[in-house]
Structures are given as structure tokens and as C-alpha cells.
Amino acid sequence: MDAAEPLRFRVSGREDGWLLKTVLRSKLRLSRKLLSKLKRSETGILLNGSRAWVNVPVKAGDLIEVHLPVEQSTDILPQPIPFRIIFEDAHLLIVDKPAGIVVHPTHGHYINTLANGVVHYWREKGEICRFRPIHRLDQETSGVLAIAKSQYAHQQISLQMQAGTMEKAYLAIAHSVPPAKQGTVDAAIGRDPANPRMRIIMPNGYRAITHYAVQEVYGCPPAASLIRLRLETGRTHQIRVHLRHLGCPLVGDKLYGAASLPNEEQRRLPDGLIGRQALHAASLAFHHPLTGDRMRFSANLPEDMERLIAQLRTD
């Protein structure tokens, strides 16, 4: 079964005489894996309406159509889970993930995940797609999450992530305040040998770069701050580890939180102000995988972080 909306490309004079497979790779940027899958389908790759072999040359004016195979997540149980849709079309689903929900079923989290809810939502509207999150958010992190509705869309946006053209911005409420109002943390991160759940700064880790800017400071001397962060890389727990490295861990972070601060003087906030780590994926920007248009999506701060900010402003 094929998707209702194929990829279409009209051969120009510049591509006249190219092999079809060259056009598919260089212009439509099909991966070898997807191209191999399409070649096995009777209607996967059409040239002027007929099935075509990828080694044939094309002429200016030829119409290439690629019918992406429909996939579904047969291993994910459909389950009604509430979430807010920011944007959806035939290729993408952008949601505002609530805090406290796991993105994808894992060992110990087979149900009650965002994936269960999205698969249920698609089934209810009669749409068949495989759940393909383009990036991940921690269970306790809220905000913008992008989901691809095809292997092709996932591949195209993943290429943007690798090239550094995807923009991801976060808002965090942290203990204390960074040493500078704005700056960059360029510190490699790796798995803690003593605790596999945790990540630490280590010279032989994976390079991790976080840009930050303080938006607001609470208390005098500072007890907390609102920080806007932009990720240049996307390592596991990157923001949490880098903020702790700066001496201002996330409020409510049970793994990298205030207990890691070097002295009691810096721990000015009481426990229990918020029931999770105060981190929100505020915005996400990338080029649409089909049209190439630049798209930007945002999600307002959730109520628990708004309440925390209101409390910090009055203390």
C-alpha cells in the first residue's frame, strides 16, 4: 500500500541524461536503505507514470514520482493519551509534550507513553503511520517534539540535525545564576562509569555544546534564574549536565539537582517547589522535508513552571 501523496520531481535541463538513481539521491536525497525498499515495489518509483528501473537515464521534462511505503507501529498499543497538537500535515506531527510522559515505550514503559497516544490518535482518524520521533525529550521535560510520519521525512530532518541547521531552544529554571549573563559551554559528555544512568563531563566523551543566556534573576543574592538555552549538539542529558557544570543545576532535578552544588550557601531554594525538573522545550525550527520552507514551532511555558516563576518573583 502506498501513501496518498507521492514525492514528485520534474527533470530540468541540468539533469538531462542523468541516471534516475543519481536524481533520486542528489535531488530527492533518498537514502540507500529507502531506495532499496522502493525498488522492490511495483509502484515505488515511477517515471512518467510507469514503473522505472533506477539505472535508466532521464530526459528534461520527465516526471519522477516516488510513492513512499505506508508503515505502522505494530508493536505499539494504541491508547488514548492526551497531548496538544501544534501542527500536522501529511509528513509531520508536531506536539506539545506534557511533563511526566515517556516519549517511546521502553522496558518498563510499554503503555502510557506519548507513542501509545499518537498511534491511537492516528488510528481514530483512519491514518496509518509509524511512530518516528525525530528527537527525544526526557520524561520530565515538557515542550515541542517533532514526529515524522514517514521514513523519508525522518531522514530529511535527521540530515538537518547532523548539519546543525535545526534550531532547538529551551527554557530552564535553575538554582543560583551562571557566572556570566550569557555564554557557551563546550564540554564533552560521557556515561558515568560509577552510575550508568548519569552523564558527566569527561575529556574523552562526546563533544557537547550549549549556548545560554540568562533571562531573569530571582532574589538578592540570586537564589534562582530563568535561562534560555540553545543546543548545538544533542547529547543525552546535555542541558542538565552543562547547567550543573556551571554551578546552577535545574530546579527539581532529582538526578543532577541542588545536592550537587558545592556548598549550602548556594542552595537557597527549598525542596518541593516543582514536582519535576524545570525544563521546557520552548521552540524548534527546521526546513520542511518536502517543501524546504523554514518552519518554526513553539510551546508556551506550562502552568507548573509559570507558577514557580510567579513564586520566585514574590519571594
mmCIF file of all heavy atoms in Angstrom, residues 75-116:
data_model
loop_
_atom_site.group_PDB
_atom_site.id
_atom_site.type_symbol
_atom_site.label_atom_id
_atom_site.label_comp_id
_atom_site.label_asym_id
_atom_site.label_seq_id
_atom_site.Cartn_x
_atom_site.Cartn_y
_atom_site.Cartn_z
ATOM 1 N N ASP A 75 4.003 -2.789 17.051
ATOM 2 C CA ASP A 75 4.418 -3.165 18.401
ATOM 3 C C ASP A 75 4.016 -2.139 19.452
ATOM 4 O O ASP A 75 4.386 -2.264 20.621
ATOM 5 C CB ASP A 75 5.932 -3.382 18.439
ATOM 6 C CG ASP A 75 6.712 -2.157 17.983
ATOM 7 O OD1 ASP A 75 6.122 -1.306 17.275
ATOM 8 O OD2 ASP A 75 7.900 -2.047 18.320
ATOM 9 N N ILE A 76 3.269 -1.102 19.049
ATOM 10 C CA ILE A 76 2.836 -0.064 19.995
ATOM 11 C C ILE A 76 1.322 -0.154 20.174
ATOM 12 O O ILE A 76 0.565 -0.055 19.209
ATOM 13 C CB ILE A 76 3.241 1.339 19.509
ATOM 14 C CG1 ILE A 76 4.765 1.450 19.418
ATOM 15 C CG2 ILE A 76 2.692 2.414 20.452
ATOM 16 C CD1 ILE A 76 5.253 2.782 18.870
ATOM 17 N N LEU A 77 0.900 -0.346 21.403
ATOM 18 C CA LEU A 77 -0.519 -0.497 21.707
ATOM 19 C C LEU A 77 -1.224 0.857 21.640
ATOM 20 O O LEU A 77 -0.840 1.782 22.357
ATOM 21 C CB LEU A 77 -0.687 -1.089 23.110
ATOM 22 C CG LEU A 77 -2.115 -1.287 23.607
ATOM 23 C CD1 LEU A 77 -2.804 -2.391 22.810
ATOM 24 C CD2 LEU A 77 -2.109 -1.614 25.100
ATOM 25 N N PRO A 78 -2.246 1.013 20.784
ATOM 26 C CA PRO A 78 -2.995 2.275 20.747
ATOM 27 C C PRO A 78 -3.688 2.518 22.091
ATOM 28 O O PRO A 78 -4.312 1.613 22.650
ATOM 29 C CB PRO A 78 -4.021 2.052 19.632
ATOM 30 C CG PRO A 78 -3.477 0.932 18.818
ATOM 31 C CD PRO A 78 -2.724 0.063 19.770
ATOM 32 N N GLN A 79 -3.552 3.737 22.597
ATOM 33 C CA GLN A 79 -4.102 4.055 23.913
ATOM 34 C C GLN A 79 -4.430 5.541 23.950
ATOM 35 O O GLN A 79 -3.600 6.373 23.555
ATOM 36 C CB GLN A 79 -3.064 3.704 24.987
ATOM 37 C CG GLN A 79 -3.508 3.891 26.409
ATOM 38 C CD GLN A 79 -2.367 3.604 27.385
ATOM 39 O OE1 GLN A 79 -1.199 3.452 26.987
ATOM 40 N NE2 GLN A 79 -2.696 3.531 28.662
ATOM 41 N N PRO A 80 -5.618 5.926 24.405
ATOM 42 C CA PRO A 80 -5.950 7.356 24.461
ATOM 43 C C PRO A 80 -5.116 8.086 25.519
ATOM 44 O O PRO A 80 -5.303 7.893 26.724
ATOM 45 C CB PRO A 80 -7.447 7.367 24.813
ATOM 46 C CG PRO A 80 -7.699 6.048 25.465
ATOM 47 C CD PRO A 80 -6.741 5.078 24.851
ATOM 48 N N ILE A 81 -4.178 8.884 25.056
ATOM 49 C CA ILE A 81 -3.305 9.674 25.934
ATOM 50 C C ILE A 81 -3.440 11.137 25.498
ATOM 51 O O ILE A 81 -3.258 11.445 24.316
ATOM 52 C CB ILE A 81 -1.826 9.246 25.804
ATOM 53 C CG1 ILE A 81 -1.648 7.761 26.153
ATOM 54 C CG2 ILE A 81 -0.922 10.120 26.661
ATOM 55 C CD1 ILE A 81 -1.805 7.430 27.604
ATOM 56 N N PRO A 82 -3.760 12.047 26.408
ATOM 57 C CA PRO A 82 -3.929 13.447 25.991
ATOM 58 C C PRO A 82 -2.605 14.122 25.633
ATOM 59 O O PRO A 82 -1.602 13.948 26.323
ATOM 60 C CB PRO A 82 -4.563 14.104 27.226
ATOM 61 C CG PRO A 82 -4.162 13.241 28.376
ATOM 62 C CD PRO A 82 -4.048 11.848 27.837
ATOM 63 N N PHE A 83 -2.593 14.853 24.528
ATOM 64 C CA PHE A 83 -1.465 15.690 24.143
ATOM 65 C C PHE A 83 -1.993 16.775 23.215
ATOM 66 O O PHE A 83 -3.039 16.610 22.580
ATOM 67 C CB PHE A 83 -0.356 14.868 23.461
ATOM 68 C CG PHE A 83 -0.777 14.186 22.192
ATOM 69 C CD1 PHE A 83 -0.658 14.825 20.958
ATOM 70 C CD2 PHE A 83 -1.293 12.897 22.204
ATOM 71 C CE1 PHE A 83 -1.038 14.200 19.779
ATOM 72 C CE2 PHE A 83 -1.683 12.259 21.042
ATOM 73 C CZ PHE A 83 -1.560 12.918 19.816
ATOM 74 N N ARG A 84 -1.260 17.888 23.127
ATOM 75 C CA ARG A 84 -1.706 19.007 22.295
ATOM 76 C C ARG A 84 -0.951 19.006 20.977
ATOM 77 O O ARG A 84 0.273 18.906 20.958
ATOM 78 C CB ARG A 84 -1.473 20.343 23.016
ATOM 79 C CG ARG A 84 -2.043 21.545 22.255
ATOM 80 C CD ARG A 84 -1.907 22.830 23.055
ATOM 81 N NE ARG A 84 -0.539 23.332 23.088
ATOM 82 C CZ ARG A 84 -0.020 24.121 22.148
ATOM 83 N NH1 ARG A 84 -0.738 24.469 21.091
ATOM 84 N NH2 ARG A 84 1.225 24.557 22.258
ATOM 85 N N ILE A 85 -1.700 19.109 19.881
ATOM 86 C CA ILE A 85 -1.094 19.160 18.554
ATOM 87 C C ILE A 85 -0.797 20.620 18.200
ATOM 88 O O ILE A 85 -1.675 21.483 18.258
ATOM 89 C CB ILE A 85 -2.023 18.533 17.505
ATOM 90 C CG1 ILE A 85 -2.212 17.044 17.794
ATOM 91 C CG2 ILE A 85 -1.458 18.728 16.098
ATOM 92 C CD1 ILE A 85 -3.238 16.367 16.906
ATOM 93 N N ILE A 86 0.447 20.896 17.837
ATOM 94 C CA ILE A 86 0.848 22.228 17.396
ATOM 95 C C ILE A 86 0.680 22.365 15.891
ATOM 96 O O ILE A 86 0.220 23.391 15.385
ATOM 97 C CB ILE A 86 2.316 22.509 17.805
ATOM 98 C CG1 ILE A 86 2.470 22.453 19.332
ATOM 99 C CG2 ILE A 86 2.788 23.857 17.260
ATOM 100 C CD1 ILE A 86 3.906 22.559 19.802
ATOM 101 N N PHE A 87 1.040 21.300 15.163
ATOM 102 C CA PHE A 87 0.984 21.323 13.695
ATOM 103 C C PHE A 87 0.933 19.890 13.194
ATOM 104 O O PHE A 87 1.528 18.988 13.779
ATOM 105 C CB PHE A 87 2.226 22.026 13.136
ATOM 106 C CG PHE A 87 2.386 21.924 11.639
ATOM 107 C CD1 PHE A 87 1.749 22.830 10.796
ATOM 108 C CD2 PHE A 87 3.159 20.920 11.066
ATOM 109 C CE1 PHE A 87 1.876 22.730 9.416
ATOM 110 C CE2 PHE A 87 3.298 20.823 9.691
ATOM 111 C CZ PHE A 87 2.647 21.732 8.862
ATOM 112 N N GLU A 88 0.208 19.698 12.080
ATOM 113 C CA GLU A 88 0.215 18.387 11.435
ATOM 114 C C GLU A 88 -0.070 18.551 9.952
ATOM 115 O O GLU A 88 -0.911 19.363 9.551
ATOM 116 C CB GLU A 88 -0.818 17.454 12.055
ATOM 117 C CG GLU A 88 -0.749 16.033 11.493
ATOM 118 C CD GLU A 88 -1.719 15.065 12.138
ATOM 119 O OE1 GLU A 88 -2.687 15.526 12.776
ATOM 120 O OE2 GLU A 88 -1.493 13.846 12.001
ATOM 121 N N ASP A 89 0.670 17.794 9.127
ATOM 122 C CA ASP A 89 0.349 17.656 7.716
ATOM 123 C C ASP A 89 0.613 16.211 7.326
ATOM 124 O O ASP A 89 0.702 15.334 8.199
ATOM 125 C CB ASP A 89 1.118 18.668 6.849
ATOM 126 C CG ASP A 89 2.630 18.433 6.827
ATOM 127 O OD1 ASP A 89 3.099 17.421 7.396
ATOM 128 O OD2 ASP A 89 3.349 19.272 6.241
ATOM 129 N N ALA A 90 0.727 15.929 6.046
ATOM 130 C CA ALA A 90 0.904 14.550 5.597
ATOM 131 C C ALA A 90 2.264 13.972 5.979
ATOM 132 O O ALA A 90 2.462 12.752 5.908
ATOM 133 C CB ALA A 90 0.723 14.475 4.082
ATOM 134 N N HIS A 91 3.206 14.812 6.424
ATOM 135 C CA HIS A 91 4.580 14.371 6.631
ATOM 136 C C HIS A 91 5.066 14.532 8.072
ATOM 137 O O HIS A 91 6.000 13.846 8.482
ATOM 138 C CB HIS A 91 5.520 15.143 5.706
ATOM 139 C CG HIS A 91 5.045 15.186 4.289
ATOM 140 N ND1 HIS A 91 5.153 14.111 3.442
ATOM 141 C CD2 HIS A 91 4.406 16.158 3.582
ATOM 142 C CE1 HIS A 91 4.621 14.415 2.267
ATOM 143 N NE2 HIS A 91 4.166 15.650 2.327
ATOM 144 N N LEU A 92 4.431 15.434 8.820
ATOM 145 C CA LEU A 92 4.916 15.774 10.155
ATOM 146 C C LEU A 92 3.781 15.872 11.157
ATOM 147 O O LEU A 92 2.656 16.255 10.809
ATOM 148 C CB LEU A 92 5.638 17.125 10.134
ATOM 149 C CG LEU A 92 6.895 17.272 9.293
ATOM 150 C CD1 LEU A 92 7.275 18.739 9.187
ATOM 151 C CD2 LEU A 92 8.040 16.467 9.904
ATOM 152 N N LEU A 93 4.104 15.552 12.399
ATOM 153 C CA LEU A 93 3.231 15.828 13.532
ATOM 154 C C LEU A 93 4.090 16.504 14.594
ATOM 155 O O LEU A 93 5.083 15.934 15.046
ATOM 156 C CB LEU A 93 2.614 14.541 14.085
ATOM 157 C CG LEU A 93 1.784 14.688 15.363
ATOM 158 C CD1 LEU A 93 0.543 15.535 15.121
ATOM 159 C CD2 LEU A 93 1.401 13.321 15.925
ATOM 160 N N ILE A 94 3.720 17.732 14.959
ATOM 161 C CA ILE A 94 4.446 18.478 15.989
ATOM 162 C C ILE A 94 3.531 18.600 17.196
ATOM 163 O O ILE A 94 2.406 19.092 17.077
ATOM 164 C CB ILE A 94 4.860 19.886 15.505
ATOM 165 C CG1 ILE A 94 5.490 19.818 14.103
ATOM 166 C CG2 ILE A 94 5.814 20.526 16.509
ATOM 167 C CD1 ILE A 94 6.768 19.036 14.009
ATOM 168 N N VAL A 95 3.996 18.141 18.358
ATOM 169 C CA VAL A 95 3.154 18.140 19.551
ATOM 170 C C VAL A 95 3.835 18.911 20.684
ATOM 171 O O VAL A 95 5.047 19.129 20.679
ATOM 172 C CB VAL A 95 2.846 16.700 20.017
ATOM 173 C CG1 VAL A 95 2.226 15.894 18.889
ATOM 174 C CG2 VAL A 95 4.089 16.001 20.557
ATOM 175 N N ASP A 96 3.006 19.302 21.643
ATOM 176 C CA ASP A 96 3.474 19.897 22.888
ATOM 177 C C ASP A 96 3.419 18.793 23.931
ATOM 178 O O ASP A 96 2.362 18.490 24.475
ATOM 179 C CB ASP A 96 2.579 21.082 23.265
ATOM 180 C CG ASP A 96 3.048 21.810 24.513
ATOM 181 O OD1 ASP A 96 4.060 21.387 25.116
ATOM 182 O OD2 ASP A 96 2.396 22.805 24.895
ATOM 183 N N LYS A 97 4.566 18.163 24.188
ATOM 184 C CA LYS A 97 4.593 17.015 25.097
ATOM 185 C C LYS A 97 4.395 17.456 26.544
ATOM 186 O O LYS A 97 5.100 18.343 27.022
ATOM 187 C CB LYS A 97 5.922 16.271 24.978
ATOM 188 C CG LYS A 97 5.958 14.973 25.802
ATOM 189 C CD LYS A 97 7.328 14.335 25.823
ATOM 190 C CE LYS A 97 8.190 14.806 26.978
ATOM 191 N NZ LYS A 97 7.682 14.382 28.313
ATOM 192 N N PRO A 98 3.452 16.844 27.252
ATOM 193 C CA PRO A 98 3.308 17.168 28.673
ATOM 194 C C PRO A 98 4.479 16.614 29.481
ATOM 195 O O PRO A 98 5.086 15.603 29.106
ATOM 196 C CB PRO A 98 1.996 16.470 29.069
ATOM 197 C CG PRO A 98 1.366 16.009 27.791
ATOM 198 C CD PRO A 98 2.470 15.854 26.804
ATOM 199 N N ALA A 99 4.781 17.252 30.583
ATOM 200 C CA ALA A 99 5.782 16.708 31.501
ATOM 201 C C ALA A 99 5.247 15.434 32.135
ATOM 202 O O ALA A 99 4.036 15.274 32.321
ATOM 203 C CB ALA A 99 6.106 17.734 32.576
ATOM 204 N N GLY A 100 6.155 14.501 32.429
ATOM 205 C CA GLY A 100 5.775 13.289 33.125
ATOM 206 C C GLY A 100 5.418 12.131 32.232
ATOM 207 O O GLY A 100 5.090 11.050 32.731
ATOM 208 N N ILE A 101 5.473 12.318 30.921
ATOM 209 C CA ILE A 101 5.124 11.246 29.997
ATOM 210 C C ILE A 101 6.362 10.825 29.206
ATOM 211 O O ILE A 101 7.123 11.662 28.726
ATOM 212 C CB ILE A 101 3.974 11.676 29.057
ATOM 213 C CG1 ILE A 101 3.509 10.509 28.184
ATOM 214 C CG2 ILE A 101 4.365 12.858 28.191
ATOM 215 C CD1 ILE A 101 2.233 10.784 27.426
ATOM 216 N N VAL A 102 6.574 9.514 29.105
ATOM 217 C CA VAL A 102 7.697 8.970 28.343
ATOM 218 C C VAL A 102 7.352 9.048 26.857
ATOM 219 O O VAL A 102 6.196 8.864 26.470
ATOM 220 C CB VAL A 102 7.969 7.506 28.761
ATOM 221 C CG1 VAL A 102 9.047 6.877 27.889
ATOM 222 C CG2 VAL A 102 8.370 7.448 30.228
ATOM 223 N N VAL A 103 8.345 9.346 26.015
ATOM 224 C CA VAL A 103 8.088 9.503 24.587
ATOM 225 C C VAL A 103 7.794 8.163 23.927
ATOM 226 O O VAL A 103 6.805 8.021 23.194
ATOM 227 C CB VAL A 103 9.278 10.187 23.885
ATOM 228 C CG1 VAL A 103 9.105 10.149 22.365
ATOM 229 C CG2 VAL A 103 9.409 11.628 24.353
ATOM 230 N N HIS A 104 8.610 7.163 24.164
ATOM 231 C CA HIS A 104 8.512 5.900 23.425
ATOM 232 C C HIS A 104 8.519 4.728 24.400
ATOM 233 O O HIS A 104 9.231 4.767 25.408
ATOM 234 C CB HIS A 104 9.698 5.767 22.454
ATOM 235 C CG HIS A 104 9.460 4.825 21.323
ATOM 236 N ND1 HIS A 104 9.530 3.459 21.474
ATOM 237 C CD2 HIS A 104 9.152 5.036 20.025
ATOM 238 C CE1 HIS A 104 9.281 2.871 20.327
ATOM 239 N NE2 HIS A 104 9.040 3.804 19.419
ATOM 240 N N PRO A 105 7.725 3.685 24.125
ATOM 241 C CA PRO A 105 7.761 2.516 25.008
ATOM 242 C C PRO A 105 9.169 1.933 25.139
ATOM 243 O O PRO A 105 9.889 1.797 24.158
ATOM 244 C CB PRO A 105 6.833 1.512 24.308
ATOM 245 C CG PRO A 105 5.917 2.346 23.480
ATOM 246 C CD PRO A 105 6.757 3.512 23.026
ATOM 247 N N THR A 106 9.542 1.647 26.362
ATOM 248 C CA THR A 106 10.828 1.014 26.651
ATOM 249 C C THR A 106 10.573 -0.066 27.689
ATOM 250 O O THR A 106 9.434 -0.283 28.106
ATOM 251 C CB THR A 106 11.845 2.025 27.208
ATOM 252 O OG1 THR A 106 11.303 2.621 28.407
ATOM 253 C CG2 THR A 106 12.144 3.125 26.207
ATOM 254 N N HIS A 107 11.628 -0.727 28.107
ATOM 255 C CA HIS A 107 11.487 -1.725 29.161
ATOM 256 C C HIS A 107 10.910 -1.052 30.413
ATOM 257 O O HIS A 107 11.497 -0.118 30.944
ATOM 258 C CB HIS A 107 12.842 -2.354 29.485
ATOM 259 C CG HIS A 107 12.778 -3.390 30.567
ATOM 260 N ND1 HIS A 107 12.139 -4.597 30.398
ATOM 261 C CD2 HIS A 107 13.235 -3.373 31.846
ATOM 262 C CE1 HIS A 107 12.232 -5.302 31.518
ATOM 263 N NE2 HIS A 107 12.894 -4.575 32.403
ATOM 264 N N GLY A 108 9.768 -1.498 30.833
ATOM 265 C CA GLY A 108 9.121 -0.909 31.999
ATOM 266 C C GLY A 108 8.117 0.171 31.657
ATOM 267 O O GLY A 108 7.393 0.645 32.525
ATOM 268 N N HIS A 109 8.065 0.600 30.390
ATOM 269 C CA HIS A 109 7.124 1.644 29.958
ATOM 270 C C HIS A 109 6.473 1.221 28.645
ATOM 271 O O HIS A 109 6.664 1.846 27.610
ATOM 272 C CB HIS A 109 7.845 2.989 29.771
ATOM 273 C CG HIS A 109 8.278 3.626 31.046
ATOM 274 N ND1 HIS A 109 7.419 4.307 31.872
ATOM 275 C CD2 HIS A 109 9.488 3.676 31.648
ATOM 276 C CE1 HIS A 109 8.082 4.757 32.934
ATOM 277 N NE2 HIS A 109 9.338 4.382 32.813
ATOM 278 N N TYR A 110 5.698 0.140 28.661
ATOM 279 C CA TYR A 110 5.078 -0.362 27.442
ATOM 280 C C TYR A 110 3.790 0.384 27.106
ATOM 281 O O TYR A 110 3.353 0.375 25.959
ATOM 282 C CB TYR A 110 4.779 -1.857 27.577
ATOM 283 C CG TYR A 110 6.022 -2.686 27.796
ATOM 284 C CD1 TYR A 110 6.252 -3.316 29.011
ATOM 285 C CD2 TYR A 110 6.977 -2.827 26.786
ATOM 286 C CE1 TYR A 110 7.400 -4.069 29.221
ATOM 287 C CE2 TYR A 110 8.124 -3.576 26.987
ATOM 288 C CZ TYR A 110 8.329 -4.200 28.204
ATOM 289 O OH TYR A 110 9.464 -4.943 28.411
ATOM 290 N N ILE A 111 3.174 0.982 28.113
ATOM 291 C CA ILE A 111 1.942 1.742 27.902
ATOM 292 C C ILE A 111 2.095 3.115 28.553
ATOM 293 O O ILE A 111 3.108 3.413 29.194
ATOM 294 C CB ILE A 111 0.713 1.011 28.475
ATOM 295 C CG1 ILE A 111 0.882 0.774 29.977
ATOM 296 C CG2 ILE A 111 0.468 -0.294 27.740
ATOM 297 C CD1 ILE A 111 -0.373 0.211 30.641
ATOM 298 N N ASN A 112 1.079 3.951 28.359
ATOM 299 C CA ASN A 112 1.050 5.299 28.941
ATOM 300 C C ASN A 112 2.181 6.184 28.436
ATOM 301 O O ASN A 112 2.669 7.056 29.156
ATOM 302 C CB ASN A 112 1.072 5.238 30.483
ATOM 303 C CG ASN A 112 -0.113 4.473 31.045
ATOM 304 O OD1 ASN A 112 -1.232 4.607 30.553
ATOM 305 N ND2 ASN A 112 0.130 3.668 32.065
ATOM 306 N N THR A 113 2.617 5.956 27.201
ATOM 307 C CA THR A 113 3.646 6.793 26.598
ATOM 308 C C THR A 113 3.016 7.679 25.529
ATOM 309 O O THR A 113 1.888 7.453 25.088
ATOM 310 C CB THR A 113 4.767 5.951 25.961
ATOM 311 O OG1 THR A 113 4.268 5.331 24.770
ATOM 312 C CG2 THR A 113 5.278 4.889 26.921
ATOM 313 N N LEU A 114 3.767 8.668 25.104
ATOM 314 C CA LEU A 114 3.292 9.524 24.020
ATOM 315 C C LEU A 114 3.051 8.699 22.755
ATOM 316 O O LEU A 114 2.082 8.937 22.022
ATOM 317 C CB LEU A 114 4.311 10.634 23.741
ATOM 318 C CG LEU A 114 3.931 11.623 22.642
ATOM 319 C CD1 LEU A 114 2.702 12.440 23.028
ATOM 320 C CD2 LEU A 114 5.110 12.553 22.328
ATOM 321 N N ALA A 115 3.910 7.736 22.492
ATOM 322 C CA ALA A 115 3.750 6.891 21.310
ATOM 323 C C ALA A 115 2.408 6.176 21.323
ATOM 324 O O ALA A 115 1.721 6.096 20.296
ATOM 325 C CB ALA A 115 4.889 5.880 21.229
ATOM 326 N N ASN A 116 2.006 5.639 22.470
ATOM 327 C CA ASN A 116 0.698 4.985 22.567
ATOM 328 C C ASN A 116 -0.425 5.942 22.188
ATOM 329 O O ASN A 116 -1.357 5.586 21.467
ATOM 330 C CB ASN A 116 0.459 4.474 23.988
ATOM 331 C CG ASN A 116 1.469 3.431 24.424
ATOM 332 O OD1 ASN A 116 2.289 3.676 25.307
ATOM 333 N ND2 ASN A 116 1.416 2.252 23.829
#
